[in-house]
Amino acid sequence: MSTIAPEPVAGARTGLAGLLVVPATLFVAIGLLGPIAILFRYSLNQFIPGQFMVDGLTIENYVKFFTDSYYLTVLARTVRVAVMCTIACLVMGFPLAYVLARTQSRFKNLLIIAVVLPLFVGNAVRAAGWMTAFGSKGALNASLMGMGLIDQPLEIMFTENAVLIGIVAVNLPFMVLTLQSVIEGIPRNVEEAAFSLGAGPAAMFRRVLWPLALPGILAGTILTFILAMNAYATPVLLGGPKFQMMGPLVYGQFAQQNNWPFGGAISFILMTATILLTVAAHLIVQRRYR
Amino acid sequence: MARLSIEHLRKTYGDLTVVNDVNIDIADGEFLVLLGPSGCGKTTTLRMVAGFIAPSAGSITIGERSVTTLPPWKRNCGLVFQSYALFPHMTVAENVAFGLEMRKIPPADRAPRVAEALRLVQLAGFDERYPRQLSGGQQQRVALARALAMEPDVLLLDEPLSNLDAKLRQEVRVEIRDLQRKLGLTTIMVTHDQEEALTMADRLVVMEKGEVRQIGTQRELYERPADRFVAGFIGRSAFLDGDIVAPGRFRTKGGVAIGCAAATRIGAATLALRPERIAVGGEADGLHNRFEARVEHASYLGAILEIDVSLSGPDAIDKDRMLLQIPNKAGIAEPKPGETITIGWAEDAGLVYPREG
């Protein structure tokens, strides 16, 4: 074995490493930070109907959001839906990820593809499919009513439940894949050691598997939470016009109301809420388990 | 501590039999080693005792308790893995206390037992370290302390030294052996390392192809190997294929006649000779079997010279090749290929086994 530590990154000494990060950095700077900065500037502008946007430096757009119970309800609903979806993804995703990580089956790769398969169908296409399947005149209700099992069509579409199910279906693969890769990195021997020391399955999970999978659990929940907070197609198509969430609300302000300053403000509130909740969850979990 | 009894243990996967009718009785406080080449079923046997693999048939009894159908967490078997399998998110003390915690022993009572276990493995004062801060040998000692702290009925060691470097392996080997004796632990160790097995075991079980070939002490296995496999696996043997033509008379394939007291049943056979029973040069004078052997190849291995010789002449179809091991005494030069050396052995030196193939 060599006693000289290798360079952490190939080419670190020649400055090549610095060059390697340039393209991605530029891309993020131009594609993300720039628009965000502009958006933030817009959110401080005034909106006067008929005049579109007037340059200014005011917080009235933010005040408007936080003083109107309608918008606060939308924010609360978005957070609620995102939290519930994330929990559902974790509860359903962990066992699935565990089985995928531990299976010795030669069909393992096929199983992983099966998990990713739903992502091959875009959100909008999927939601459209559900509208035809679960709508009041859709396949399910038509069959049930045709068989005389129900008189009134089941109200599945355009409810919060429909949105929850829709978002979970989209986000679950992200959770499963994140957890699976982390669980695969936990040696099976460690679980067996816990069993041999007298830990039953529940105790093993609580004291060994969960804490060791925690980095993956954090990554997976953050990923699905962010996706759920910013969901657009699913709430629009499955929630209907009355079920407003933050994503569609932002888009409406820009595209329909032409109110760019208020749209910018809502964007910033959504982004800040997402970051704050993510960081808070991270801190709470870390404090409990480290 | 308790005795352990394995009866008619069997494991099959479909048509594949991995462990076939294994019967082992281990006395209270005995150190038993399962030895065999990889794929011989020794690890599967150990994992069935630990409860990670359900046997297809047979029973396992620890003390008076049949554990055959019990899950691993109810068996009270202390297990030490090749890869240590410490809990990386817990300190050394937490690792060692884990078994006690699972047994609902109050924290105040755990501390002295953890300290005692760590003292036994000479790691007192390492309580607050994390496994990643320890060397491989220290990690394996923590794993041992963790298994000992819960006072297991049986200690199971799954190739515990294979991940350690040679010098450390010797050290930890002696430590484990001393601890096992001191605490009177009934122990099963699995290994493929013959030297490790011979130095540590009270008794050894040689396994091959899922079956027990022989159970016995080191001396029994070496001096009276039950079959050709054991004769070749425990220590070295020189083998000569041929036939027993009359009681006491063995004839090699190449036609060399050898007197052999162990040859009784007439038929195809293999003669096995331990290297130290074969005399070379002047030492061979006066021995019943004395031959001029032609050197085919010689290797210098430090403490010994390994010489491949053939007994029959260069014209024979079957040259009756055999491998000699000569102690490297001062002044001995290794012979060159083509040279002739005198070798010999006593009539009672060889063992015979039915010829395979």
Side-chain angles (χ1 to χ4, degrees), chain A residues 19 39 48 72 80 94 139 161 216 220 225 236 238 242 251 257 261 271 290:
Chain A
L19 275 175
L39 206 59
I48 296 165
L72 288 177
R80 187 177 68 234
F94 198 100
N161 288 338
F225 180 74
V236 167
L238 298 184
K242 279 186 285 180
Y251 179 76
Q257 316 289 334
M271 199 168 75
R290 291 293 145 127

Side-chain angles (χ1 to χ4, degrees), chain A residues 94 178-179 182-183 186 205 208-219 290:
Chain A
F94 198 100
T178 314
L179 287 177
V182 173
I183 294 171
I186 303 171
F205 177 79
V208 176
L209 192 56
W210 177 270
L212 288 180
L214 205 60
I217 293 166
L218 276 178
R290 291 293 145 127

Side-chain angles (χ1 to χ4, degrees), chain B residues 52-70:
Chain B
F52 296 128
I53 299 177
S56 306
S59 68
I60 300 161
T61 313
I62 297 174
E64 301 303 312
R65 206 160 58 109
S66 171
V67 299
T68 316
T69 54
L70 285 183

